[in-house]
Amino acid sequence: MYGIDNEDIEYIESKIEKQKQFLKNFSIDFADKSVSMLDNTYSANLNPKKYFAEINNRVNSLFDYAKDNGLRPVFVTLTAPSKYHKKDRFGNYIENPNDTAKALTQIWNKFTNLQVFQKMKKELNHGLVYFRVYEPHKSGVPHLHAMLFIPSKYILPVKKKYKDYFSSSKWGSNKKAIDFRYTWYKEKGGAVGYIMKYITKTFKDENSMKVEHAIYWYIKHKIRRFLSSRTLAPLTIYRKVRYYFKEHYENDFKTVTKMLKDGTIRREFNNTMICYRYYNHDIGEVDEVYLWSKNAESILNQRIPNYHATFKLKYQKKEIKKPLIAQVSEFEKYVFDDIQNAFLRLPVVPSRLSDYKLNKYYRLLDEMDIKDLDLVHFQIVKNEMIKRDLLNEEIVSPNEFSTYEQTTERSALANVPLKFTIVEEFDYDVPYTASTQGVF
């Protein structure tokens, strides 16, 4: 049943037993008594009685909260579309139950983020209040049950949206796969009994093989049994302080939530301590009790840097300012320099030109008047042509040419008319380029 066989049962039971033995070897000190980690663990598999009692407390507290705020309960069911029920030729589901549960969660989150819910949340000034339970079909494919708490005037709009959204092609176009029911508040049965019926199915019952197989199904596929909205106090805080209030208040979860919101219970010193402030009638003063604190060793270890720890690097794209370039011709370009506040000419680098452009550039220089030509630059271009076997001549060093001194500005560019004064000696190996910031 639920796709669980004897091999799964043997493996899961062995795994749970090993976990129990491991936790029994550790203990926690509470005042004058020591409690094993197993007895102090909130786990449906390892300590089901304690976990079920906590869920029962959460359910009752959330029902009371919803009732106090004038919210009405409605119960909905959502079944996965047919594509999640398909099997391969070996009899295995193409989509495993864990992936199906994730798909149900995603579509549920999208639905509860529709405009009708956004409007309702804004009006109520708090998030949506709900419970959510996953339950397997006999085939092992999960479906979702949820209890929503919404104002009376929103019930019909939400129902319409629910029917439209989940009967559309987005999900499966199967109206039989969805259900929307009204329910009610009662001391026994009613909305509480409705949701608890599905929660109870997920806990161990040695007298029922059906329930036993359901337990193994949750463990095998790593599917959470019970989820709720974050309306009440965080479990991480409630579990640390409940021992102090459980004898004083019948509904301590709801009480702890109220105290946390009004500041009576506070987290201090970077969440290393939880303090409870109250009015002590015996002494007539406000008193403080530290309900929980991290031990000194944990705090010190937290503050000592861990050099072997991993960390994430935050990537921030560097914004690069593109230069302003003006192109006069194929081999004549200018770039704007912010420092000099002027356009500067880009030199032509022969080694970076393609064969076609290099040959074209060489012909352009070769046709220029000798008095307007930078001979050093021309020989560099010519040598590059020879290296690429585009010209059948011998390479000649540019140092064999006399250099020049331009009357207006110095440049290694040869395709613009320039005025030169020939000097007797040449004292550099490469063409001199004045005020240039880039190449092309």
Side-chain angles (χ1 to χ4, degrees):
M1 189 176 289
Y2 306 126
I4 299 296
D5 54 30
N6 291 332
E7 188 177 342
D8 292 328
I9 294 173
E10 289 179 8
Y11 173 75
I12 292 169
E13 286 184 345
S14 173
K15 186 177 179 180
I16 291 175
E17 188 58 34
K18 288 178 182 178
Q19 290 176 343
K20 286 183 177 180
Q21 292 301 324
F22 176 80
L23 291 173
K24 283 180 180 178
N25 295 329
F26 299 91
S27 61
I28 300 175
D29 293 331
F30 284 101
D32 58 345
K33 65 177 181 178
S34 181
V35 181
S36 74
M37 281 289 290
L38 180 60
D39 294 333
N40 197 56
T41 299
Y42 291 86
S43 170
N45 304 323
L46 304 176
N47 199 348
K49 289 183 179 180
K50 188 168 187 175
Y51 184 75
F52 182 79
E54 183 187 74
I55 285 185
N56 194 41
N57 192 351
R58 289 167 64 185
V59 168
N60 286 316
S61 297
L62 203 56
F63 267 91
D64 285 349
Y65 175 88
K67 192 174 181 180
D68 291 345
N69 285 272
L71 305 178
R72 308 299 302 174
V74 292
F75 186 80
V76 299
T77 299
L78 181 61
T79 303
S82 58
K83 73 173 185 176
Y84 294 97
H85 296 256
K86 293 180 180 179
K87 296 182 179 181
D88 59 22
R89 60 193 182 93
F90 301 106
N92 300 317
Y93 284 107
I94 297 174
E95 300 282 347
N96 65 58
N98 184 276
D99 292 335
T100 304
K102 287 179 181 177
L104 286 166
T105 299
Q106 289 174 356
I107 196 71
W108 172 261
N109 290 338
K110 288 179 181 178
F111 169 68
T112 54
N113 202 39
L114 293 178
Q115 189 174 5
V116 63
F117 288 103
Q118 295 290 350
K119 183 180 178 182
M120 183 176 68
K121 292 172 187 177
K122 188 174 181 181
E123 184 179 311
L124 296 175
N125 200 27
H126 62 69
L128 180 66
V129 183
Y130 67 88
F131 297 115
R132 199 164 80 233
V133 178
Y134 291 107
E135 185 185 11
H137 291 288
K138 289 182 180 180
S139 61
V141 179
H143 57 281
L144 180 151
H145 299 293
M147 181 75 74
L148 301 175
F149 299 92
I150 55 181
S152 299
K153 67 177 183 179
Y154 279 95
I155 291 178
L156 289 178
V158 169
K159 181 180 181 180
K160 185 177 184 304
K161 285 291 182 183
Y162 185 77
K163 296 282 188 180
D164 293 343
Y165 193 84
F166 290 110
S167 61
S168 68
S169 57
K170 291 181 182 178
W171 184 238
S173 302
N174 184 5
K175 293 184 179 181
K176 294 181 180 179
I178 59 177
D179 190 19
F180 190 101
R181 303 179 189 176
Y182 307 101
T183 184
W184 60 94
Y185 293 109
K186 285 176 66 176
E187 290 186 7
K188 293 183 180 180
V192 176
Y194 222 95
I195 195 69
M196 288 304 296
K197 178 180 72 172
Y198 292 97
I199 295 172
T200 306
K201 289 181 181 181
T202 71
F203 287 91
K204 197 172 183 68
D205 183 357
E206 296 178 355
N207 298 319
S208 172
M209 183 56 68
K210 182 178 178 180
V211 174
E212 285 289 286
H213 278 222
I215 302 300
Y216 297 129
W217 178 85
Y218 285 103
I219 299 171
K220 178 182 178 180
H221 299 295
K222 299 178 181 178
I223 296 175
R224 293 180 64 181
R225 293 165 167 77
F226 173 80
L227 302 98
S228 68
S229 58
R230 298 180 180 179
T231 309
L232 302 176
L235 285 174
T236 52
I237 295 179
Y238 172 69
R239 288 173 177 173
K240 292 180 175 71
V241 303
R242 67 179 298 274
Y243 74 93
Y244 190 86
F245 299 99
K246 66 179 181 179
E247 303 296 336
H248 300 83
Y249 302 99
E250 181 179 351
N251 196 337
D252 58 321
F253 207 147
K254 183 181 175 183
T255 304
V256 169
T257 300
K258 184 177 182 302
M259 290 180 175
L260 194 62
K261 287 183 178 180
D262 63 22
T264 305
I265 296 177
R266 304 189 316 279
R267 288 173 282 188
E268 297 183 347
F269 304 109
N270 197 24
N271 292 331
T272 59
M273 303 184 81
I274 298 178
C275 173
Y276 169 50
R277 177 180 291 182
Y278 68 102
Y279 183 78
N280 191 328
H281 293 275
D282 295 334
I283 61 175
E285 296 178 0
V286 175
D287 201 359
E288 284 188 344
V289 177
Y290 282 93
L291 304 176
W292 174 87
S293 66
K294 276 189 176 181
N295 60 51
E297 185 178 355
S298 298
I299 296 172
L300 288 173
N301 289 335
Q302 183 180 1
R303 296 179 185 276
I304 297 173
N306 183 359
Y307 296 104
H308 300 288
T310 59
F311 58 92
K312 286 186 177 181
L313 292 175
K314 184 179 180 182
Y315 171 74
Q316 188 171 2
K317 187 176 180 181
K318 185 178 180 181
E319 301 213 355
I320 301 174
K321 184 181 178 182
K322 291 185 178 180
L324 179 61
I325 296 177
Q327 183 168 343
V328 178
S329 64
E330 187 175 6
F331 301 107
E332 185 180 356
K333 294 181 182 179
Y334 296 85
V335 62
F336 187 79
D337 183 69
D338 291 328
I339 299 175
Q340 299 186 35
N341 195 29
F343 278 96
L344 304 176
R345 186 161 184 175
L346 292 171
V348 178
V349 181
S351 61
R352 297 189 182 182
L353 297 176
S354 65
D355 289 353
Y356 171 76
K357 284 195 173 183
L358 178 64
N359 187 64
K360 187 176 181 181
Y361 184 54
Y362 171 74
R363 301 301 173 195
L364 186 148
L365 298 181
D366 193 41
E367 293 173 1
M368 287 181 63
D369 193 325
I370 187 69
K371 64 182 180 180
D372 295 330
L373 185 64
D374 180 347
L375 296 179
V376 175
H377 179 69
F378 177 71
Q379 189 58 45
I380 292 173
V381 176
K382 193 172 184 180
N383 287 344
E384 185 66 26
M385 289 280 292
I386 297 169
K387 289 178 184 177
R388 300 190 192 185
D389 295 326
L390 299 175
L391 200 63
N392 189 16
E393 293 186 21
E394 291 186 2
I395 293 178
V396 179
S397 173
N399 291 337
E400 295 186 12
F401 293 87
S402 297
T403 189
Y404 62 86
E405 186 176 300
Q406 190 178 339
T407 55
T408 55
E409 67 173 323
R410 307 187 69 156
S411 174
L413 304 173
N415 59 330
V416 177
L418 302 172
K419 294 181 179 179
F420 301 97
T421 301
I422 305 300
V423 296
E424 295 181 356
E425 296 183 1
F426 177 70
D427 57 358
Y428 59 93
D429 297 331
V430 295
Y432 175 81
T433 304
S435 303
T436 56
Q437 302 295 318
V439 295
F440 70 97

